[in-house]
Amino acid sequence: MAGGTAAQTSPSPRMDLAEGPAGRSFAFDGHGRIALDTFLAEVRGVAADLPDAACAINLCEDRYRFLVAFCAAAVRGQTNLLPSSRTPAAIEDVRRQYPDSYCIADVRLSPAPPRLHALPERLPKHDGPMPQVDADALAMIGFTSGSTGTPKPNPKTWGSLRTSTGQNLGALRHLWPEGITVPIVATVPSQHMYGMELSVLLPLFAQAAVHGGRPFFPEDVARAVRDADAPALLVTTPVHLRALVESGIVLPPLAGIVTATAPLPQALAAAAEQHFGVEVRELFGSTETCVIAQRRTAREEEWRLLPGIRLQPQPDGTLVFGPHLPAPVPLADLVEVRADGGFVLRGRQSDLLEIAGKRASLGDLTRRLLAVPGVLDGVVLQLEPCEITGVRRIAALVVAPELQETAILDALRQAVDPVFLPRRLRLVDALPRNDTGKLPRDALLRMLEGA
């Protein structure tokens, strides 16, 4: 170019796909352990057979095979797309947004989505050096759960995932002894950001090995924990944790329990600590921010920020700053920042209700509903405005096999101002929780209408 020099941009640094010695334990199940070098050989083998495309919709259910597919796509320079669920509608919605994509799965899907690449039962292996990925490479796009509306895409680079994993490790490292490879057993899907951080990224970048399955029932969890050769870190949700405690099941010794995706009641945290004899750590984060804080809920109300994280309260939420975030991320959560750097949640702007000059929050109303004896599960929500009056009514869905609607409302009257009582309350057999225990709003509205 005459009269000047073209701008030079430095190339993105290359990063190893995984850390640790080749022979370290990377994964395990009832058949034994899988070493890191075996995993890397299968990543290279699967990567060689992937279709040419910009993106791969990763639908694998087996956690180990998800990891192989996730890393194989990254090695090929493809972006992993992680839908909020594996329903045909969710998959098709992602395909429409990213037409240059294919689906990769390890189980038979019915109906089978277009451009399906099925992993073979015996994964191919290729020898070679440690695979590397550009730090600035778009490793994945995760989608929000849809609990507050339409699922939204959230891109993550490989470098940002490495950084956030280091923050998580710093918050949880005290749960296992120095020099020990901690086994991880997770009940949450790999496609969810919380499952990704704790059961996919930790084995890649820390001294951890992950169970290849995704146990669901208490007996499945106990079996998976028994497969570990050392006390395991249980990665779960409040819904699963409650089922484990109420089942009375005895688990082998654990390194600790971490939970996220929904508020953890203090009483449940205390009961779990007493029953299993380990700390229960609740993590706070989102698909947009990754994990940013943690607390021992049985003993603490205040959240402790992970290293490098800073919050800036706003009138309608909170801005999150962090070394893994390219720019501040707004959250709808309202927080009170304490002088010691911790914070207390005060709800969400969208959850706040003001009726007849009185205020309440949907979260607090739901907690009061769940406190009614005989209520096993429930949720309070605000409906869309009435087309005629513009009024947004309050409704509730409740699981309470032994109660009548009138008995539930009578109990709520003792703790809730009459203006905030649900005008519609429907008894149901179960709430439409997704894989992580969240309640998508559209599913709640369909259930409320009788669907």
Side-chain angles (χ1 to χ4, degrees), residues 18-19 22 27 35 45 50 54 96 123-124 150 156 174 190 198 201 224 267 272 311 324 328-329 372 386 416 434:
E19 294 184 0
L50 292 181
R96 281 196 300 268
L123 297 178
T150 304
K156 310 290 181 186
H174 70 285
S190 305
L198 273 293
L201 300 177
L311 302 183
H324 64 297
V329 174
V372 174
C386 172
V416 175
N434 63 15

Side-chain angles (χ1 to χ4, degrees), residues 13-363:
R14 301 280 286 174
M15 310 180 83
D16 286 349
L17 186 70
E19 294 184 0
R24 78 163 171 96
S25 181
F26 179 81
F28 66 97
D29 57 19
H31 302 292
R33 62 187 288 275
I34 298 173
L36 177 61
D37 55 357
T38 300
F39 166 75
L40 295 175
E42 291 179 335
V43 168
R44 288 187 289 262
V46 169
D49 291 340
L50 292 181
D52 291 328
C55 304
I57 304 175
N58 195 331
L59 305 174
C60 294
E61 291 189 4
D62 178 270
R63 201 174 306 272
Y64 177 75
R65 287 175 170 250
F66 175 93
L67 261 158
V68 172
F70 180 84
C71 291
V75 170
R76 281 288 296 269
Q78 300 173 354
T79 299
N80 281 267
L81 303 177
L82 308 180
S84 57
S85 77
R86 282 187 290 269
T87 62
I91 296 170
E92 182 57 29
D93 183 55
V94 172
R95 286 189 65 253
R96 281 196 300 268
Q97 295 180 62
Y98 303 90
D100 188 11
S101 64
Y102 64 94
C103 296
I104 184 167
D106 59 343
V107 294
R108 187 182 301 275
L109 298 174
S110 181
R115 295 194 69 185
L116 176 62
H117 180 81
L119 288 179
E121 182 175 347
R122 187 179 182 87
L123 297 178
K125 297 179 182 178
H126 285 184
D127 293 331
M130 168 65 73
Q132 293 189 319
V133 181
D134 285 345
D136 293 339
L138 189 56
M140 58 165 281
I141 298 176
F143 291 80
T144 54
S145 64
S147 57
T148 58
T150 304
K152 296 180 176 59
N154 289 272
K156 310 290 181 186
T157 66
W158 193 259
S160 72
L161 294 177
R162 290 285 296 264
T163 301
S164 65
T165 302
Q167 295 167 179
N168 292 338
L169 185 62
L172 301 174
R173 195 66 183 84
H174 70 285
L175 294 178
W176 64 89
E178 189 70 31
I180 298 296
T181 297
V182 65
I184 296 174
V185 173
T187 66
V188 289
S190 305
Q191 285 84 356
H192 188 274
M193 196 64 220
Y194 165 53
M196 166 67 63
E197 290 188 80
L198 273 293
S199 69
V200 173
L201 300 177
L202 272 183
L204 284 173
F205 305 140
Q207 198 165 344
V210 68
H211 192 279
R214 197 185 118 207
F216 184 81
F217 296 107
E219 295 80 8
D220 301 330
V221 175
R223 191 177 304 112
V225 173
R226 284 195 292 270
D227 290 339
D229 56 9
L233 180 68
L234 178 60
V235 177
T236 190
T237 68
V239 171
H240 278 108
L241 188 59
R242 183 179 296 280
L244 286 168
V245 171
E246 293 180 349
S247 73
I249 198 164
V250 177
L251 297 179
L254 296 170
I257 298 173
V258 294
T259 178
T261 75
L264 175 65
Q266 189 276 335
L268 175 57
E273 288 200 353
Q274 181 177 12
H275 185 72
F276 299 115
V278 294
E279 283 188 20
V280 175
R281 288 281 163 175
E282 185 178 8
L283 305 181
F284 179 83
S286 66
T287 304
E288 297 91 336
T289 63
C290 298
V291 175
I292 61 171
Q294 55 90 18
R295 68 179 178 182
R296 188 175 178 183
T297 309
R299 299 184 179 183
E300 301 170 336
E301 178 193 22
E302 189 172 310
W303 293 92
R304 302 291 176 183
L305 291 170
L306 270 55
I309 304 297
R310 181 170 62 87
L311 302 183
Q312 181 178 314
Q314 304 285 300
D316 58 349
T318 305
L319 280 180
V320 180
F321 300 78
H324 64 297
L325 300 173
V329 174
L331 290 183
D333 301 276
L334 301 172
V335 305
E336 176 188 325
V337 178
R338 299 288 175 83
D340 60 1
F343 69 93
V344 176
L345 280 175
R346 296 305 185 197
R348 289 187 162 201
Q349 190 70 35
S350 59
D351 285 349
L352 298 181
L353 307 173
E354 184 169 353
I355 301 176
K358 301 177 181 180
R359 293 184 178 183
S361 77
L362 293 173

